[in-house]
Amino acid sequence: MSGQFEQIDEDDHYELFVPSEIFPVTGVPRFDFQRGAVHCSKGFVINAGCNEDPAGLKSSDPERVINVDLHAFDEGMNRANLVDKVFDITDAKAWEENFAPNSAELVVFGDVLEHMGPDQMVDCLRNAHRVAPRVCITIPEDHRIPDDAKYVQGVYNEHVTVATEPVLRDVLVRSRWKPFAWLEGVDWGFTDERGQRVLGHCIEAHRI
């Protein structure tokens, strides 16, 4: 797996990256990070902002993984999303209506938080804080974002926030999450306008 790995909490270590003999890895580092986090859980997993579930979390454990997205159908891609529940993951009331406190073990935010501003990221992570003790976040640090990019609620947004490490650490502090493991410099599989590879972050954090 590419990128620089930081194990932050040495006293609570477990293997995030699951060997291929347990299940076939995808070959996409951020997807394998998500799948590893799911494998290292025993309770329910909420896949928040799942879209078509490109990491295959639902298929990896269909009895435990609950897919959630803003829409049942992606109009831009002209295809159905693989969803169990449809609601806005920034909306605290919607979370309360769908999930009881402490009803899950893990919430996965896979390639979704970059489509929001930092305040909406905090909203999502605070909503997750109520229902689960762990979150898994994969997010690109995409510097192609225009300076005037703004989040619009209720629609699919393009990338809105350049997710640098300081931005992400501030978001985690504000939403009361402690980083457990942080993999940075992960290749996201596409290039910017200069032809440079877009890199990103894979994070697991625990509730405080």
Side-chain angles (χ1 to χ4, degrees):
M1 179 171 288
S2 61
Q4 181 178 350
F5 179 72
E6 179 183 0
Q7 183 73 45
I8 294 168
D9 191 340
E10 298 290 348
D11 296 329
D12 189 22
H13 174 72
Y14 54 80
E15 183 57 64
L16 287 168
F17 311 118
V18 181
S20 58
E21 60 266 21
I22 295 177
F23 58 71
V25 296
T26 67
V28 180
R30 66 188 190 275
F31 295 164
D32 292 338
F33 189 93
Q34 295 173 34
R35 289 168 67 92
V38 171
H39 177 78
C40 293
S41 66
K42 296 180 180 179
F44 286 110
V45 176
I46 300 169
N47 186 13
C50 65
N51 201 258
E52 63 172 341
D53 190 12
L57 303 187
K58 182 75 172 181
S59 62
S60 74
D61 201 328
E63 298 301 317
R64 292 195 301 119
V65 176
I66 303 166
N67 279 354
V68 177
D69 201 84
L70 179 63
H71 298 297
F73 190 86
D74 188 328
E75 299 254 352
M77 300 300 294
N78 193 31
R79 55 161 168 69
N81 290 329
L82 186 61
V83 292
D84 300 303
K85 294 178 178 286
V86 177
F87 65 85
D88 186 342
I89 60 174
T90 68
D91 186 342
K93 184 177 180 181
W95 280 81
E96 291 170 5
E97 291 171 347
N98 284 277
F99 297 108
N102 300 308
S103 57
E105 182 179 343
L106 172 71
V107 179
V108 177
F109 294 99
D111 297 27
V112 63
L113 295 180
E114 67 274 14
H115 298 275
M116 307 174 186
D119 290 343
Q120 290 78 38
M121 293 184 189
V122 171
D123 289 341
C124 287
L125 289 166
R126 284 177 176 169
N127 292 334
H129 193 280
R130 174 183 158 273
V131 301
R134 296 168 52 211
V135 292
C136 170
I137 302 165
T138 63
I139 185 166
E141 187 173 323
D142 186 359
H143 292 270
R144 303 172 303 165
I145 299 170
D147 292 338
D148 59 353
K150 293 182 180 179
Y151 171 76
V152 179
Q153 189 169 12
V155 301
Y156 282 151
N157 291 269
E158 299 293 334
H159 292 183
V160 172
T161 297
V162 180
T164 62
E165 182 178 342
V167 167
L168 293 173
R169 290 193 181 276
D170 178 67
V171 164
L172 290 168
V173 167
R174 290 167 60 193
S175 52
R176 295 184 54 79
W177 291 97
K178 177 186 177 182
F180 166 73
W182 198 304
L183 183 65
E184 59 184 359
V186 178
D187 190 335
W188 235 250
F190 57 89
T191 59
D192 62 19
E193 66 278 0
R194 299 167 297 175
Q196 296 182 347
R197 305 298 291 178
V198 172
L199 307 179
H201 306 264
C202 297
I203 304 163
E204 176 165 337
H206 295 176
R207 185 167 59 188
I208 57 176

